[in-house]
């Protein structure tokens, strides 16, 4: 139990930011795709009388 305060290995400086970056990219791509889908569905469902 005394090993909990040991410094992490130097590889943490590489793979933790890499995992975070990959997660951000995947989240951005999935969110963009969902937003496009929602925008298309919202556009098709709306009856836009504001232009008349």
């Amino acid at each position: 139990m005394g090993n909990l305060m040991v410094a992490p290995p130097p590889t943490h400086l590489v793979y933790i930011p890499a995992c975070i970056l990959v997660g951000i990219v995947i989240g951005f791509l999935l969110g963009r795709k969902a937003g496009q889908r929602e925008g298309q569905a919202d556009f098709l469902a709306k009856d836009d009388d504001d232009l008349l």
Side-chain angles (χ1 to χ4, degrees), residues 13-28:
L13 295 176
V14 174
Y15 74 79
I16 289 180
C19 289
I20 292 172
L21 185 63
V22 167
I24 289 171
V25 169
I26 289 172
F28 175 77

Side-chain angles (χ1 to χ4, degrees), residues 30-42:
L30 291 177
R32 189 169 148 237
K33 188 181 288 187
Q36 288 173 347
R37 211 171 29 241
E38 180 68 26
Q40 289 170 355
D42 192 28

Side-chain angles (χ1 to χ4, degrees), residues 5-6 13-14 16 25 29 39 45 47 51-52:
M5 298 304 290
V6 175
L13 295 176
V14 174
I16 289 180
V25 169
L29 293 177
D47 188 17
L51 298 175
L52 295 177

